Structure formats: C-alpha cells, structure tokens
Amino acid sequence: MNIVAIGMGNFGASLAKTLTAMGHDVLGVDKNPEKVEFFKDKISNMICLDASDPHALRLLPIKEADVFVVCIGDDFGVSVMISALLKRFGVKKVICRESSSIHLTVLNSIGIAHTINPEYESARILAQTLTLPGIHHLFNISETLKIVDLTIPASLTDQKFLPASFREKTHLKVVALRRNQLILYSSSQPLPDQEIGHITYQPNDILVLAGEIKDIRKFLNT
C-alpha cells in the first residue's frame, strides 16, 4: 500500500516505522526538519512541509496514495484543518487521530468517518489483558470478539493437539500454535489430519485463539 502519515510524533513515527518494516511504501510528513532528518533512514520516504498550508499539501501524492493518516494529536485546529483539506482535495481515504469527544465530533461533521484514539485503545487493551491472566497480546475485533495469544495451561501438556475437538469443547478457533519461533500449525495453511495427530502440547507452547471474550475467560479458568 501507499500510505502518507502526517505528523511524526510518537504515534505517527511508530505507525510509519511499523508500516515500513511491513514492506509498505510510506511517506512520513512533518514540518520539523530535525524530525525529518532523524527518521529518514527509518521510514520509506520523508518530506519536510507544513501540511496545514493548502499549497504545500497539494505537493503530496493526493491521487496516488491509498490512505492518508493524520497523526497529529496535540493541535486540535491543525488536525481538523488538514483533514478538511484532504477531504476537499478528494483523497481516497483519510484516517485521523482524535484526542477528545469534541475533536471526534468535529471530525465526523466534516466527513471523517475513520478515526483512532491511541491512548484509549491502548488503555482498553491493557485493561482487558490485565483481567485475563496468561494472555500475552489481545486484539479487538469487536466488543465481544477477540484474538488472543497465550501460554498453554499446564493441564494441556502432553495432550494431543486436536484443533477441531478443541473448538467443539471451548467454542474457540485455533488460529495458530507456536513453539519457540516455530509455527507448528496455522489455520491459514491447515495440515493433513495425520500430521496434526503427531503434535502434542509442550510446556510454554503459545496458542493463538479467536472467539468470544466469555469463552476465552471460561477456557482460562478451567
């Protein structure tokens, strides 16, 4: 994907670096030349310009980019101005960081449907992870549907790995089974039944599961 990230603060820079590492073509934008210099070797492309200036903003790949992400969180007015200009210029998709309910309301009123609040999302995920002992990472698909990775309970050690049977008992889909850095099973590339039958759980194996939060809690408490 071709992605433009505007604002190289903590959130914007982390997003741009991660997308670059994933192999996407990223253009990082910031008006601070020191930041542009600092990130030039960590992000696919960097440019120094003031995105709140309509003439400067038009220098960016308005038509070519798949998505623009406005990552500015400390200046409400600048964030809204840039987002409004991008909508006026006909950008395919705009995602904007929002920092308050008022900020969100204003963005929605100018037609920005996709927003993100990193602090809120991080706090929500941390709260859920803290109340689910054994969970390493949690990804929200919806309010009730989650993907988690966890170290297998001791009760599973030496038992056969049977994903279909596991799903019947727990109502959780096994997405993957990992041992150290080796992926033993992935639902995207399922193994023949005879090969799965040779896998047994070992201490510290990592299960990646998808399902309802109530079923995840029930499994962790068994």
Side-chain angles (χ1 to χ4, degrees), residues 127-178:
Q128 292 171 333
T129 303
L130 289 173
T131 59
L132 293 169
I135 296 292
H136 301 296
H137 301 94
L138 180 147
F139 304 93
N140 288 305
I141 306 302
S142 70
E143 284 300 317
T144 58
L145 184 62
K146 316 291 179 183
I147 296 177
V148 299
D149 66 348
L150 52 88
T151 302
I152 65 161
S155 59
L156 286 182
T157 300
D158 294 329
Q159 291 190 27
K160 284 189 175 183
F161 172 68
L162 301 169
S165 175
F166 182 90
R167 187 168 189 172
E168 288 180 8
K169 292 178 181 178
T170 65
H171 305 293
L172 299 171
K173 177 181 174 62
V174 178
V175 178
L177 175 66
R178 188 176 81 243

Side-chain angles (χ1 to χ4, degrees), residues 35-51:
K35 287 188 176 182
V36 172
E37 179 66 22
F38 182 78
F39 290 118
K40 70 178 184 180
D41 296 325
K42 302 176 178 68
I43 296 168
S44 308
N45 306 281
M46 288 293 301
I47 186 171
C48 184
L49 61 75
D50 182 357

Side-chain angles (χ1 to χ4, degrees), residues 95-153:
I95 300 174
C96 187
R97 177 182 180 178
E98 51 93 353
S99 55
S100 69
S101 58
I102 296 176
H103 192 180
L104 175 61
T105 299
V106 174
L107 289 170
N108 289 163
S109 71
I110 62 173
I112 304 298
H114 303 281
T115 62
I116 183 170
N117 185 319
E119 292 81 8
Y120 171 77
E121 291 297 329
S122 296
R124 186 171 66 151
I125 290 172
L126 177 59
Q128 292 171 333
T129 303
L130 289 173
T131 59
L132 293 169
I135 296 292
H136 301 296
H137 301 94
L138 180 147
F139 304 93
N140 288 305
I141 306 302
S142 70
E143 284 300 317
T144 58
L145 184 62
K146 316 291 179 183
I147 296 177
V148 299
D149 66 348
L150 52 88
T151 302
I152 65 161

